[in-house]
C-alpha cells in the first residue's frame, strides 16, 4: 500500500520505464478525488458525475455564498481576528471560483498535452537523458504533495486553533447546525466547515499546480533536447543522412514542445491573472491580523500558514516561467555551438531554420497584460504593504477596539 501511494516520490532506476504521464500521477489522483477526472465510459461515469456536482457545488457555490451570508446575518458576532480569518478566505474564494471554473472546463488541454509530449519519451536513450527525465518525474510529484500539505495544513491549523478557542474556524453559514448551542455542535459544525473549505482548497490546488507540472515537463524535455543537440554529428560511424535525420528529429521535438506551450497558454493567462489580482489583498489581510490585533501563538501560526499558501499559489509558477525562458536560450546556444560547420548545405539550411525558431523563447503573460515572472509577482504582492500602511495611518485597529469598548460592535 505504501509503495502504491509513494513510489512516484522516489527517482526510478534508469532501467525502469517511465513516461511523462507519470509526472502527472499525483495531480490526476487529486483531480480524480475532486471529481475532475471521470472514467471514460460506463455506469461509473454517471455515478462519478454526481460526486463532481457535489464537490463543485460545495467549493464554488456554497463556500463563497456561505461566508458572505455569515457577514450579513452574524457580522456583530465576529471578533477582529475571526473576521479577518474569514474574510481572507472569502476573498480568496473569488479567485478560486474563476480559476476552478476555467481549469475544470479546460482539463481537455492537459490530456491533449499528455498525448503530444508522450512522443518525446522515447527520445530518452542515453543514461544522462534518462537520469534527467526520472529525476523530473519524482520532483514534480513531490512538489504536488508539498503543495497539498501546505494547503491542507492551513485548514488543519485554523480548525484546531478555532475549536480550542471555542469558535467555529470560518463561521460558515450553516442553517442546520449552530456551533453556539454546545460543545458537540461546535465540533460537528467545525468539521463540516473543514470539509467544505478543504474541498475548495484542493480545487485551488488543482488550479495552481497544473502550471508547475507541465512547465516542469517542458523544461525537462528542453534539457534533454539540448543534450541531444550538443551530441549532433559527434558519432563518426553515422552517415550524413543519419546526422540530418537526427537534426530533423530535434526540430520536430522542439516544435512539439512549442505546440504544447500554445495549448496551455490561454488557461495559464487567465488563472495567473486572477491570482495576481488577489494576492496582495490576501497577504495584506493576513498581515493586518497578525500585526494589529491580539493573537495567540496558534492563530499566528494559522495566519502564517495562510501567507505561505498564498505565496506558493503564484511564486513557483513565476519562477519556473523565468527558468523556461533561460532553457529556451540554452537550446539555441547549444545549437549554435554544435558541430555544423563541416556539414553539407542541406544540414546547414536546417540548422539556420532551427536556430531562427529556437531564438524565440517560450514566454507566458497574465491576462495578455504583463509577463509571468518573479518581478511581476513581487510587484502585485507589494500591494499588501499599501493595505498595511492605510490601516496604520488611519488607526483603524484602534478605532475598532474603541467602538467595541463603547458597545457599537458586539462580537
Amino acid at each position: 500500500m505504501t509503495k502504491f501511494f509513494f513510489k512516484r516520490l522516489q527517482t526510478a532506476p534508469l532501467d525502469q520505464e517511465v513516461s511523462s504521464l507519470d509526472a502527472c500521477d499525483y495531480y490526476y489522483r487529486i483531480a480524480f478525488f475532486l471529481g475532475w477526472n471521470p472514467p471514460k465510459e460506463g455506469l461509473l461515469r454517471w455515478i462519478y458525475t454526481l460526486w463532481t456536482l457535489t464537490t463543485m457545488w460545495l467549493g464554488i457555490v456554497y463556500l463563497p455564498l456561505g461566508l458572505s451570508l455569515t457577514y450579513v446575518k452574524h457580522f456583530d458576532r465576529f471578533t477582529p481576528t475571526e473576521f479577518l480569518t474569514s474574510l481572507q478566505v472569502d476573498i480568496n474564494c473569488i479567485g478560486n471560483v474563476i480559476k476552478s471554473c476555467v481549469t475544470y472546463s479546460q482539463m481537455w488541454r492537459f490530456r491533449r498535452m499528455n498525448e503530444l509530449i508522450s512522443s518525446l519519451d522515447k527520445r530518452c536513450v542515453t543514461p544522462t537523458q534518462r537520469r534527467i527525465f526520472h529525476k523530473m518525474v519524482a520532483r514534480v510529484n513531490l512538489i504536488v504533495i508539498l503543495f497539498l500539505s501546505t494547503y491542507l495544513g492551513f485548514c488543519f491549523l485554523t480548525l484546531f486553533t478555532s475549536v480550542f478557542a471555542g469558535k467555529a474556524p470560518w463561521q460558515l453559514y450553516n442553517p442546520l447546525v449552530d456551533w453556539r448551542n454546545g460543545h458537540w455542535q461546535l465540533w460537528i459544525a467545525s468539521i463540516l466547515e473543514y470539509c467544505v473549505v478543504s474541498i475548495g482548497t484542493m480545487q485551488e490546488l488543482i488550479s495552481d499546480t497544473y502550471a508547475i507540472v507541465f512547465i516542469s515537463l517542458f523544461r525537462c524535455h528542453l534539457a534533454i533536447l539540448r543534450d541531444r543537440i550538443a551530441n549532433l554529428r559527434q558519432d563518426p560511424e553515422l552517415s550524413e543522412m543519419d546526422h540530418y535525420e537526427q537534426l530533423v528529429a530535434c526540430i520536430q521535438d522542439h516544435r512539439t514542445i512549442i505546440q504544447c506551450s500554445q495549448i496551455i497558454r490561454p488557461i495559464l493567462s487567465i488563472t495567473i491573472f486572477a491570482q495576481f489580482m488577489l494576492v496582495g489583498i490576501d497577504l495584506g489581510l493576513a498581515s493586518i491580523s497578525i500585526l494589529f490585533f491580539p493573537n495567540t501563538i496558534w492563530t499566528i501560526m494559522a495566519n502564517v500558514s495562510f501567507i505561505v499558501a498564498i505565496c506558493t499559489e503564484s511564486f513557483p509558477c513565476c519562477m519556473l516561467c523565468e527558468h523556461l525562458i533561460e532553457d529556451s536560450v540554452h537550446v539555441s546556444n547549444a545549437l549554435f555551438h554544435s558541430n555544423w560547420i563541416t556539414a553539407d548545405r542541406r544540414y546547414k539550411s536546417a540548422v539556420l531554420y532551427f536556430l531562427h525558431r529556437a531564438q524565440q523563447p517560450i514566454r507566458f503573460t497574465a491576462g495578455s497584460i504583463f509577463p509571468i515572472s518573479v518581478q511581476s509577482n513581487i510587484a502585485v504582492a507589494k500591494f499588501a504593504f499599501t493595505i498595511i500602511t492605510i490601516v496604520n495611518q488611519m488607526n483603524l485597529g484602534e478605532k475598532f477596539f474603541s467602538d467595541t469598548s463603547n458597545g457599537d460592535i458586539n462580537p
Side-chain angles (χ1 to χ4, degrees), residues 262-291:
Q262 295 297 333
I263 293 174
I264 201 177
R265 191 179 303 276
I267 178 175
L268 186 62
S269 176
I270 298 174
T271 56
I272 295 298
F273 181 78
Q275 182 59 34
F276 276 176
M277 293 298 98
L278 298 175
V279 62
I281 300 175
D282 286 330
L283 292 177
L285 291 175
S287 301
I288 289 170
S289 178
I290 295 174
L291 297 174

Side-chain angles (χ1 to χ4, degrees), residues 141-407:
N141 283 299
L142 179 60
I143 290 174
V144 173
I145 294 299
L146 290 177
F147 265 69
L148 181 64
S149 302
T150 302
Y151 284 27
L152 294 185
F154 155 71
C155 299
F156 184 81
L157 282 173
T158 305
L159 169 66
F160 281 94
T161 54
S162 299
V163 170
F164 291 152
K167 301 284 187 178
W170 298 276
Q171 301 191 27
L172 192 64
Y173 178 73
N174 189 340
L176 302 178
V177 181
D178 188 352
W179 60 270
R180 301 173 184 85
N181 289 340
H183 181 74
W184 287 109
Q185 285 80 357
L186 172 63
W187 274 102
I188 293 173
S190 298
I191 291 174
L192 290 176
E193 286 187 14
Y194 174 79
C195 293
V196 173
V197 174
S198 294
I199 288 175
T201 301
M202 293 178 70
Q203 288 174 343
E204 193 152 15
L205 170 72
I206 293 297
S207 303
D208 293 335
T209 54
Y210 76 86
I212 296 175
V213 171
F214 287 101
I215 292 177
S216 296
L217 273 173
F218 299 162
R219 293 194 62 214
C220 172
H221 285 292
L222 282 176
I224 295 172
L225 179 62
R226 184 172 70 247
D227 182 75
R228 290 165 53 198
I229 291 173
N231 292 318
L232 287 174
R233 302 189 78 249
Q234 298 294 333
D235 189 350
E237 296 182 359
L238 298 180
S239 64
E240 286 298 325
M241 178 59 69
D242 294 330
H243 293 315
Y244 179 76
E245 290 177 352
Q246 288 181 343
L247 175 62
V248 171
C250 291
I251 296 174
Q252 292 173 341
D253 293 346
H254 183 262
R255 184 183 301 170
T256 300
I257 297 173
I258 297 297
Q259 186 177 357
C260 290
S261 69
Q262 295 297 333
I263 293 174
I264 201 177
R265 191 179 303 276
I267 178 175
L268 186 62
S269 176
I270 298 174
T271 56
I272 295 298
F273 181 78
Q275 182 59 34
F276 276 176
M277 293 298 98
L278 298 175
V279 62
I281 300 175
D282 286 330
L283 292 177
L285 291 175
S287 301
I288 289 170
S289 178
I290 295 174
L291 297 174
F292 295 100
F293 298 102
N295 289 278
T296 65
I297 183 63
W298 300 107
T299 56
I300 292 176
M301 287 179 60
N303 278 290
V304 170
S305 67
F306 180 78
I307 292 174
V308 172
I310 290 298
C311 292
T312 55
E313 287 184 4
S314 55
F315 180 78
C317 175
C318 294
M319 184 177 62
L320 283 176
C321 286
E322 287 196 354
H323 287 315
L324 186 62
I325 296 174
E326 296 176 359
D327 293 336
S328 301
V329 174
H330 291 160
V331 168
S332 63
N333 291 338
L335 179 61
F336 179 77
H337 292 288
S338 64
N339 185 21
W340 56 270
I341 296 178
T342 58
D344 57 24
R345 183 175 181 180
R346 182 175 62 170
Y347 188 95
K348 291 181 179 179
S349 298
V351 167
L352 289 175
Y353 168 80
F354 191 10
L355 189 61
H356 174 71
R357 296 297 300 270
Q359 286 177 334
Q360 303 172 14
I362 303 174
R363 301 178 185 271
F364 296 108
T365 58
S368 300
I369 298 176
F370 37 79
I372 301 177
S373 63
V374 174
Q375 183 177 0
S376 299
N377 192 41
I378 294 174
V380 296
K382 285 181 179 179
F383 185 66
F385 296 100
T386 303
I387 297 176
I388 295 172
T389 302
I390 292 174
V391 172
N392 187 37
Q393 293 294 329
M394 298 182 67
N395 295 322
L396 294 181
E398 295 181 5
K399 291 179 180 180
F400 189 93
F401 284 118
S402 176
D403 292 340
T404 303
S405 62
N406 292 332

Side-chain angles (χ1 to χ4, degrees), residues 10 20 26 44 57-58 64 82 90 103 133 156 192 230 242 250 255 297 313 371 408:
Q10 298 178 351
S20 295
Y26 289 99
L44 288 178
W57 184 82
L58 289 175
E82 292 168 358
D90 192 17
T103 305
F133 188 48
F156 184 81
L192 290 176
D242 294 330
C250 291
R255 184 183 301 170
I297 183 63
E313 287 184 4
D408 295 336

Side-chain angles (χ1 to χ4, degrees), residues 10 61 83 120 129 259 354:
Q10 298 178 351
V61 179
F83 175 68
L120 306 183
Q129 295 167 0
Q259 186 177 357
F354 191 10

